[in-house]
Amino acid sequence: MLGFLVSALPSRGIFRKTLRSVLILSSAKKLWQVGQPVCCRWQRSRSGFLRQYAAMATGGQDPFSKSGRSPNRLVNEKSPYLLQHAYNPVDWYPWGPEAFEKAKREDKPIFLSVGYSTCHWCHVMEKESFENEEIGKILHDSFVAIKVDREERPDVDKVYMTFVQATSSGGGWPMSVWLTPDLKPFVGGTYFPLEDGTYHLGFKTVLKRIAEQWKHNKSAMVESSENILKVLQDAVVLGGKETNLVLPPCQEVTERCFDQLANSYDEEYGGFSVAPKFPTAVTFSFLFCYWAAHKRTEAGARALQMALHTLRMMANGGIHDHIGQGFHRYSTDALWHVPHFEKMLYDQGQLAVAYIDAYQISGDTFFADVARDILQYVSRDLSNEEGGFYSAEDADSLPTAKAEEKKEGAFCVWTSQEILQLLPDPVPGATNGATMGDIFIHYYGVKEKGNVNPAQDPHGELTGQNVLIVHYSLELTAAKYGLETDEVKKLLERCREQLYSARQMRPRPHLDSKMLASWNGLMLSGFAHAGAVLGEKNYIERATSAACFLRKHLFYFANGRLLRSCYQGELQPIEHLSVPVFGFLDDFAFVIRALLDLYEASFEQRWLEWAVQLQEKQDELFWDPKQFAYYTSDDSDPSILFRLKDDQDGAEPSANSVAASNLLRLSNFMDRKDWELKSSQILSAFSNRLCKIPVALPEMVRTLMAKHQALKQIVICGDPAEEDTQKLISCINSHYMPHKVLLLADGNKESFLYLNLPFLSTLERQNGKATAYICENHTCSLPVTSVEDLKKLLTK
């Protein structure tokens, strides 16, 4: 008999820790907790990872024959992740009515497997289990097998990840969940090895026992699934009420968030956790905001130091690709040295903003150079010719063109011998006849036997290899070799260029060419923000190109909705799903923020106008008028068991955190009191979470701070083509001001902006010169026309 032990739940998200399920799978009534909390993005170090996967089998006729395979129905999909499984000997279905109807018609449970194309453990489980003929036959005979790309269908992923996290000690991908034919989960886990081990059940055994239990104890399994689903549905309800608008106390929440970060801070290497360490950009955003509000205090200085030191250590570490630019997903150690090598678009977009903010505050060009490095990588390697951005690059690749098995990091690591052979030229004036290779090896900590700690490489894939990490400063390196610092800097740049050319000859990692509206929004913000602060128009032009791409390929004019994804095509440049998946809350929130950022960089009102249209559509689709805040998905898909509201800023900020900020900005752009109220209602809905664990929502804490301090409306009256106007704009962009909106009043009183902000008509240029006004709470400062006077106003 199947049984679940379900503990009573508190009223909020703590249910993830308090709900546990135990599955009885054997006739001897032995208790087995199903699933191992494994993930490609959360909580596990590289030492926990199993190794690589073989190339997909192709060809053949019979899907279950050993001589060859014909494709399964996933071959007709667009998702790179689903296509990776198109030649598995598994009768895979995509998520949809065909699979659901088959499960009901044949009275079979559903096996749901969720992952993404650059997920390392997903590759491992594919190689071990989904390429296995016996597993394919078991799944075909006893289950309806469904594959889901979590990035394509985050609504499906979030519902069942909530179940897995609630019924086990963790979560991650690949996610493995067994469902009743009406889609209710009854067993869940993550990665399963193929065979049994001392402390775990193998995937084969789990499948057989679940099939047996479904045959003999189906009613008990269905009843248990319904009970757990009811508990989960009750637990995801927030505490807000239609008539109860209470904002959390700003000072208390802000100080607690700062204290929680300070208590977890790594003084030596930076970061806010033990290994593995993730580059969580929302943390930097909060710390910079905290500094701006507490500049003259010890705590403010501490916040700035924590953020800048962490960003510097990351940039010097192996998590940063010193040859090919951009950042890897996370570091498996405390030193930011040995990374998990996949590269995600959402990291690049958010980190570009973080490094630009660091430059804006500190004036240190080191941070600006790192931001340029990120944008160079994305422009070169993650950009579609139509203007969109691809999703990710894999961690795994073939070490050589003749190799048969992929290895993690193979594209990025080096032996000392390789470097010396590629950089053999002696450096004029260097002591002891040092070559370019000698100096490069010293600076980047390269060792003859490799610089990777065996504890980070239990399977020996990186034996003898080096992950580049800045080991000595430019000054110490110059002193060692009797050279000038600038000379060493230029020398290292030449070395990197030569190694980049050599690396291009290696087999590249898999590119996930899916283009997501949400992640494109994050990256668009990175380009727009960098262009504004650095005064580099090419970045603003790239952001504009991305916005045009979104409007052309990821916006459905017929109903005013965003689409979730599109794909690099074979027959045409961009292809779409035959049945469209419309955008989710994060798509709307991240794109709206991007459009606001682009307006403030380019002052093209069309982007502001589109942001307003999308915000109105977002309100219509996702807003909860009874308990406030936005659901992550709309209510149109009956296959989604319940609607969720994310309560955590993680690798990406929660969509409600971004929406709260968007609403506050838009209320000042458009004089919309209803949007200001909605922003407050979101903060009220998450009040309990903000008061108890604000570190879980640092992006939302920033909006609470903005609400408390009041946004400034900075208006420049002038012609954007004139030099005096540009000087005032550049002055504003040189100052870090997290709580502001920037408007350009060009005198066109029939424009969208003037029609929505009538007070702009009362602001005029002084003596024919470009003029700045700083307005707050419906009161504007005296006009200023000089950069010097504007600086005084901005620094008051």
Side-chain angles (χ1 to χ4, degrees), residues 78 98 203 273 369 412 531 534 542 545 607 656 673 757:
K78 303 294 184 186
E98 184 183 6
F203 187 57
S273 67
D369 289 343
C412 300
L534 299 177
R542 182 65 186 90
S545 175
W607 305 126
N656 268 296
K673 300 302 179 187
L757 283 178

Side-chain angles (χ1 to χ4, degrees), residues 53-67:
Y53 67 109
M56 291 187 296
T58 58
Q61 301 299 318
D62 181 358
F64 297 113
S65 73
K66 295 183 179 180
S67 59

Side-chain angles (χ1 to χ4, degrees), residues 593-697:
R593 178 165 74 174
L595 295 174
L596 298 180
D597 293 340
L598 181 54
Y599 167 74
E600 291 188 319
S602 68
F603 300 107
E604 291 188 61
Q605 292 186 33
R606 58 176 171 156
W607 305 126
L608 183 58
E609 186 171 2
W610 191 27
V612 170
Q613 294 169 356
L614 290 178
Q615 185 61 58
E616 289 172 341
K617 181 59 68 172
Q618 177 183 307
D619 293 346
E620 174 191 328
L621 293 171
F622 305 108
W623 182 254
D624 178 357
K626 294 182 178 180
Q627 295 188 314
F628 306 151
Y630 294 99
Y631 291 110
T632 58
S633 59
D634 67 20
D635 61 358
S636 63
D637 189 342
S639 71
I640 302 304
L641 297 179
F642 52 86
R643 301 167 77 190
L644 293 162
K645 298 174 185 175
D646 283 345
D647 63 354
Q648 183 157 344
D649 296 324
E652 305 164 52
S654 83
N656 268 296
S657 292
V658 175
S661 174
N662 290 344
L663 289 163
L664 195 57
R665 293 172 73 183
L666 281 166
S667 70
N668 281 266
F669 275 122
M670 295 287 103
D671 195 25
R672 291 279 297 266
K673 300 302 179 187
D674 58 325
W675 280 343
E676 184 178 1
L677 176 61
K678 270 189 166 64
S679 179
S680 297
Q681 289 172 330
I682 292 173
L683 298 174
S684 176
F686 289 93
S687 181
N688 187 50
R689 183 81 158 164
L690 287 167
C691 289
K692 291 182 178 179
I693 321 173
V695 73
L697 287 167

